[in-house]
Amino acid sequence: MRTIVAGNWKMNKDRTAVMAMIASLRNVTIPKDVEVIIAPAFPFLAQAVEAVEGTAIRIASQNCHEAASGAFTGEVSAGMLKSIGVNACIVGHSERRQFFNETDAAIASKITALLEHGITPIYCCGELKEERLANTHAEVITRQMKTALGALDNEALGRLVIAYEPVWAIGTGLTATAAQAQEVHALIRSLLRTHDERIAETIPVLYGGSCKPDNAAELFANPDVNGGLIGGAALDAGQFSELIRIAGKVNT
Ligand code: 13P
């Protein structure tokens, strides 16, 4: 299984900063079996795709609209992303669910649209702090996984990347312990197995939520954690490069 280090830059970095970061990352040696993905904001995607040419770095967008085209002011379709060479897209991030009222049903449609265009969906799920405190996180994750992925066939499922991002750990400095992460990742894997035993073993399940160089080795070492979806630490070339190096040690 490959280990993925994906940087979600959220609404950070202008054009100069995006290009400077890519220039730094071009010098980083990507270890065998490690995949590096970065997700700049929409205006810089086309230029980012060109800037990573000749490297193994892939460019993802942070969102897309589920419709193919039409009167949806301010939105961007999967086909538009494909036309500029974007080949992965974060979907269902908790910030989109929380601040933009994205529903599991809309997220399921986005996944379908992305797969139709050969774009890898990076599907995010994760419980709120209250849900963790009430010990209902397993139910929440099960519901999110079933609603968004329930209708997919095995071939479609096999093209996904999943990210478990406990909302209480995002941007808070609180990280799930390695055991908490492994427990939920194992649940996600078991839910994937109910679709197909063999394909479930090939789907990367990333951890996200205050993942940084000083906790990544412990998190990535878990059997069902296949890398990270990184926010804050992905904005810094030094920290992100260190995460890539740490990911390279997982399979050695
Ligand atoms: P932080 O790493 O800043 O907690 O963000 C995680 C995240 O939301 C990645 O999508």
Side-chain angles (χ1 to χ4, degrees):
M1 169 84 81
R2 67 196 194 277
T3 303
I4 298 179
V5 181
N8 175 8
W9 293 353
K10 309 191 179 182
M11 199 171 74
N12 293 292
K13 295 191 185 291
D14 63 8
R15 180 160 108 162
T16 307
V18 166
M19 298 316 285
M21 182 77 175
I22 293 176
S24 299
L25 295 178
R26 283 189 69 95
N27 298 321
V28 174
T29 307
I30 299 178
K32 193 172 143 301
D33 296 329
V34 174
E35 185 175 326
V36 176
I37 302 174
I38 49 174
F42 278 135
F44 315 118
L45 288 173
Q47 210 180 347
V49 166
E50 282 170 20
V52 299
E53 230 170 79
T55 74
I57 302 169
R58 292 171 72 192
I59 300 296
S61 71
Q62 300 172 17
N63 183 30
C64 74
H65 193 273
E66 56 271 35
S69 63
F72 300 102
T73 302
E75 293 294 320
V76 174
S77 72
M80 290 171 181
L81 295 170
K82 187 65 188 174
S83 73
I84 56 164
V86 167
N87 50 29
C89 177
I90 298 168
V91 247
H93 192 279
S94 63
E95 287 149 18
R96 304 260 355 137
R97 295 176 191 259
Q98 205 178 339
F99 305 133
F100 302 96
N101 303 320
E102 262 185 31
T103 61
D104 284 327
I107 294 163
S109 306
K110 289 179 189 218
I111 292 174
T112 306
L114 290 165
L115 290 170
E116 272 168 15
H117 289 90
I119 298 176
T120 305
I122 304 173
Y123 171 62
C124 303
C125 58
E127 79 283 1
L128 303 169
K129 186 175 180 188
E130 312 76 279
E131 294 163 338
R132 168 63 64 168
L133 291 174
N135 205 26
T136 55
H137 52 284
E139 276 163 50
V140 173
I141 302 296
T142 304
R143 189 198 67 231
Q144 290 174 339
M145 288 287 294
K146 287 195 171 156
T147 326
L149 312 182
L152 296 179
D153 64 21
N154 287 343
E155 188 275 332
L157 203 71
R159 291 196 278 141
L160 293 188
V161 171
I162 314 274
Y164 168 55
E165 299 207 315
V167 180
W168 48 272
I170 296 177
T172 58
L174 292 174
T175 314
T177 62
Q180 284 173 322
Q182 172 55 27
E183 183 206 7
V184 176
H185 282 237
L187 167 67
I188 291 171
R189 189 84 61 204
S190 73
L191 292 167
L192 293 170
R193 276 195 200 108
T194 62
H195 290 257
D196 186 277
E197 295 255 341
R198 189 188 58 78
I199 290 170
E201 305 309 318
T202 68
I203 300 174
V205 185
L206 315 184
Y207 170 79
S210 299
C211 181
K212 38 189 183 290
D214 59 9
N215 56 29
E218 211 188 332
L219 287 162
F220 294 175
N222 286 290
D224 289 302
V225 179
N226 312 113
L229 181 55
I230 323 289
L235 296 174
D236 177 79
Q239 288 193 55
F240 195 61
S241 316
E242 182 58 12
L243 287 164
I244 295 169
R245 196 188 64 75
I246 292 167
K249 303 261 176 221
V250 172
N251 295 319
T252 55

